[in-house]
Amino acid sequence: MKQEQPEKIWLSSPHMGGAEQQFVNEAFETNWIAPLGPNVNGFEKDLESYLGNQHAVACLSSGTAAIHLALIMAGVEAGDEVICQSFTFCGSANPILYLGATPVFVDSEPDSWNICPNALEEAIKDRIKKGKKPKAIIAVHLYGMPYKVDEIHAFAKAYDIKVIEDSAESLGSTYKSQKCGTFGDFGILSFNGNKIITTSGGGALVCNNTLDKQKAVFLATQARDEAPHYQHSALGYNYRLSNVSAGIGRGQMQVLDLHIGKRREMNEFYAEIFDEMPGVTIQSEFDNEVFSNFWLTAVLIDPEKAGFTREDLRAGLNDQNIESRPLWKPMHLQPLYTSSPFYGDMVAEKLFEKGLCLPSGSNLNFSNRERIKSVLTNFR
Ligand SMILES: *Cc1c(COP(=O)(O)O)cnc(C)c1O
């Protein structure tokens, strides 16, 4: 007889705080069922205040849409080259292709697992030598871990190249006490269903001034010129966030810091378990200048020392109906991007080969954790 499966434990599932429904109800009661309205304005204000009130935020339909608009506003056009961290989700890189531009991928470094300053400089120099200076750099704070902001932005400044800071996974993380998402010429956030806060689907563009925000909103609402009829001189997009979704976002902002605390507790929970297991290393803050929201806890497994592989562990968890997932497969290894240039070595490739993301949601309760722990501690 087939045994009944225990309840599924997800990698990162939505976690409502309680106030979301009330904001959504207000949208219904006032009939603001549109891609604009009081919740959109309110959510933008909440985000601006959370990020330190030095930035103007435009809420959009997704993080990918935010990267697309950031590239346009950075002046990227067809035929241009854009540098992008290779170790990331495709949402970071695909908008380069939307524009007919060419991605140039750069490897990671072992401390943060994010874009490597040395490989970045090599890429910039070589592209310039080949006749084209890259128009922008897309750097990513993966799994909530800040990249080496000072080093990366110093190179960008020295070569006068704009930085698009992909903070889709790092809302609430900080570098030298400053919030991730606020360092670049543009920052981007995602509120997809699996992110640290969710609006079911959504994203935001973080701008350094209100003029940039106005331009982003103009482009995100089909680039309508001022006229009583519909008049268009520029190519626009339908990228604004719904007022219903923004209501969920306003509720989520009330519990963001609480939920970061819980994600960090999950990271400690795993750190304790793996402390006693040879061959398993957990991603941790690489110096005291960085603070990670630990959106996902990730580990690297050295099969020689551990006695099992990443895939063994993933299968073992899956047998108990517990979801885990290999780290991002680098973009330069994706079939879609085989013809794109790549600078670096094997760092991202090794991370992909050995790495696994573990259930990290802020809503995992004691009994969920006991089930995970029992698989991990009895593994070998
Ligand atoms: C989720 C994510 C995106 C894209 O965000 P969407 O809202 O899903 O479009 C971009 N970059 C990274 C690193 C992400 O994790």
Side-chain angles (χ1 to χ4, degrees):
M1 227 171 62
K2 197 167 178 267
Q3 262 199 325
E4 216 181 298
Q5 281 261 38
E7 183 203 348
K8 173 118 180 175
I9 295 177
W10 299 96
L11 199 64
S12 175
S13 67
H15 186 190
M16 294 299 109
E20 293 84 1
Q21 189 105 53
Q22 193 186 316
F23 288 112
V24 171
N25 287 347
E26 274 174 36
F28 275 75
E29 281 154 16
T30 54
N31 206 29
W32 279 105
I33 314 292
L36 78 169
N39 281 338
V40 174
N41 301 339
F43 187 31
E44 286 176 345
K45 271 224 153 59
D46 290 347
L47 287 163
E48 285 165 2
S49 134
Y50 187 79
L51 295 174
N53 276 324
Q54 303 292 312
H55 291 77
V57 172
C59 282
L60 302 172
S61 53
S62 73
T64 308
I67 294 194
H68 190 188
L69 292 189
L71 288 168
I72 293 169
M73 291 176 63
V76 174
E77 292 174 357
D80 285 339
E81 293 192 348
V82 175
I83 289 179
C84 184
Q85 180 169 323
S86 181
F87 186 53
T88 188
F89 173 60
C90 71
S92 306
N94 287 354
I96 303 170
L97 293 190
Y98 298 171
L99 289 167
T102 303
V104 173
F105 292 113
V106 168
D107 205 1
S108 290
E109 48 80 20
D111 291 340
S112 69
W113 301 2
N114 293 313
I115 190 164
C116 170
N118 299 333
L120 172 67
E121 192 182 27
E122 189 202 335
I124 296 173
K125 281 185 169 158
D126 193 56
R127 297 326 288 178
I128 291 174
K129 206 169 79 190
K130 288 190 161 72
K132 233 176 213 170
K133 190 172 96 172
K135 272 276 177 72
I137 298 164
I138 300 170
V140 192
H141 310 288
L142 275 190
Y143 306 118
M145 188 63 67
Y147 62 77
K148 293 189 168 169
V149 174
D150 282 350
E151 287 92 327
I152 300 303
H153 288 243
F155 283 130
K157 197 166 176 216
Y159 290 93
D160 190 25
I161 304 173
K162 293 211 155 58
V163 180
I164 295 165
E165 192 192 349
D166 183 342
S167 292
E169 303 178 1
S170 64
L171 180 59
S173 298
T174 65
Y175 178 88
K176 295 188 174 173
S177 304
Q178 186 181 331
K179 288 263 162 48
C180 288
T182 64
F183 292 98
D185 293 277
F186 299 97
I188 78 101
L189 305 172
S190 169
F191 315 118
N192 203 10
N194 57 352
K195 298 289 155 74
I196 197 140
I197 63 168
T198 182
T199 59
S200 71
L205 183 68
V206 182
C207 301
N208 285 330
N209 53 66
T210 46
L211 225 64
D212 278 354
K213 175 184 167 170
Q214 281 162 11
K215 187 167 176 206
V217 170
F218 171 75
L219 290 172
T221 49
Q222 306 287 27
R224 271 187 75 183
D225 295 339
E226 237 164 297
H229 56 279
Y230 279 85
Q231 169 95 8
H232 309 276
S233 322
L235 178 62
Y237 303 86
N238 184 4
Y239 276 174
R240 208 59 169 129
L241 183 67
S242 151
N243 191 60
V244 177
S245 302
I248 306 175
R250 288 179 88 181
Q252 290 272 275
M253 286 306 286
Q254 297 182 0
V255 289
L256 172 56
D257 279 334
L258 192 77
H259 288 186
I260 290 172
K262 295 202 180 285
R263 299 240 178 198
R264 288 180 60 87
E265 272 174 31
M266 284 306 296
N267 189 264
E268 280 168 33
F269 160 80
Y270 287 116
E272 259 173 48
I273 294 172
F274 293 124
D275 204 28
E276 289 159 24
M277 285 173 82
V280 184
T281 44
I282 184 166
Q283 189 192 32
S284 48
E285 288 159 340
F286 54 93
D287 73 27
N288 54 18
E289 309 277 31
V290 301
F291 174 90
S292 173
N293 67 12
F294 283 120
W295 170 58
L296 294 183
T297 288
V299 293
L300 299 178
I301 295 160
D302 180 344
E304 315 247 287
K305 290 190 191 129
F308 56 88
T309 65
R310 184 277 305 284
E311 277 307 289
D312 293 336
L313 184 57
R314 196 179 65 77
L317 288 162
N318 191 51
D319 281 346
Q320 297 302 315
N321 212 17
I322 299 168
E323 185 185 31
S324 65
R325 191 173 298 151
L327 301 193
W328 298 123
K329 178 170 183 173
M331 289 302 120
H332 73 279
L333 301 177
Q334 297 286 357
L336 175 64
Y337 289 112
T338 40
S339 62
S340 307
F342 169 73
Y343 292 83
D345 198 7
M346 299 282 289
V347 178
E349 193 166 340
K350 283 263 154 58
L351 289 167
F352 170 59
E353 206 178 280
K354 293 182 179 173
L356 191 68
C357 293
L358 298 166
S360 305
S362 44
N363 50 2
L364 295 172
N365 60 26
F366 181 76
S367 103
N368 297 149
R369 288 203 291 263
E370 288 300 298
R371 269 177 59 202
I372 297 167
K373 190 173 178 175
S374 130
V375 176
L376 297 178
T377 50
N378 297 321
F379 195 66
R380 281 163 306 157

